[in-house]
Amino acid sequence: MTHEDYKRLAIEALEYSYSPYSHFRVGACLVCENGEVFQGANFENASLGATICAERCAASNAIIKGNRRFKSIYISCDSGYAWPCGICRQVMNEFKSCDMQIWVGGKEVEWKMMKLSQLLPESFGPEDLGV
Ligand code: THU
């Protein structure tokens, strides 16, 4: 699979978004170290704090299939950019296999990339607890 496939899968995942409260659809394509890919979409809840972002949805899909080593992620929304929230950055920090590439973009905007270390500097992670 290519970079273009990952972008396409992230945009395709928008269709799975359940976002009746914010009307802000987010789709993700998570690429694991072994090449497997997992899509995710945000799914909201009437109790708003129970909402799950697209990135953590994709992470859950990977974890449940035994994939704990994340290489990169592609995140799309309908317009503009959806940089990952703080909780999702922390979740990716737990399972990164390298300094993850975080790509954001979509149908109407060019894709941009930043490294997880740029988005979450001086992070607290598994190594701090001896894991
Ligand atoms: N959201 C994501 O799924 N990922 C992000 O990177 C930012 C925010 C979702 C959560 C919520 O359903 C909606 O976008 C508005 O915050």
Side-chain angles (χ1 to χ4, degrees), residues 89-100:
R89 293 178 196 201
Q90 184 67 26
V91 167
M92 290 189 281
N93 188 57
E94 186 76 21
F95 297 109
K96 62 182 191 284
S97 67
C98 55
D99 195 2
M100 279 182 76

Side-chain angles (χ1 to χ4, degrees), residues 5-25:
D5 292 319
Y6 303 145
K7 293 176 184 174
R8 181 180 49 74
L9 286 168
I11 291 169
E12 181 190 292
L14 288 170
E15 301 304 321
Y16 306 123
S17 169
Y18 172 73
S19 41
Y21 304 104
S22 71
H23 304 287
F24 189 83
R25 303 192 308 166

Side-chain angles (χ1 to χ4, degrees), residues 19 22 24 26 42 44 51-55 75 82-85:
S19 41
S22 71
F24 189 83
V26 185
N42 57 328
E44 300 183 341
T51 290
I52 303 293
C53 295
E55 298 89 326
I75 307 159
W83 289 100
C85 77

Side-chain angles (χ1 to χ4, degrees), residues 55-72:
E55 298 89 326
R56 277 177 292 139
C57 176
S60 301
N61 287 335
I63 298 294
I64 199 65
K65 293 293 182 183
N67 286 278
R68 297 179 183 168
R69 295 184 65 77
F70 302 168
K71 192 167 89 175
S72 58

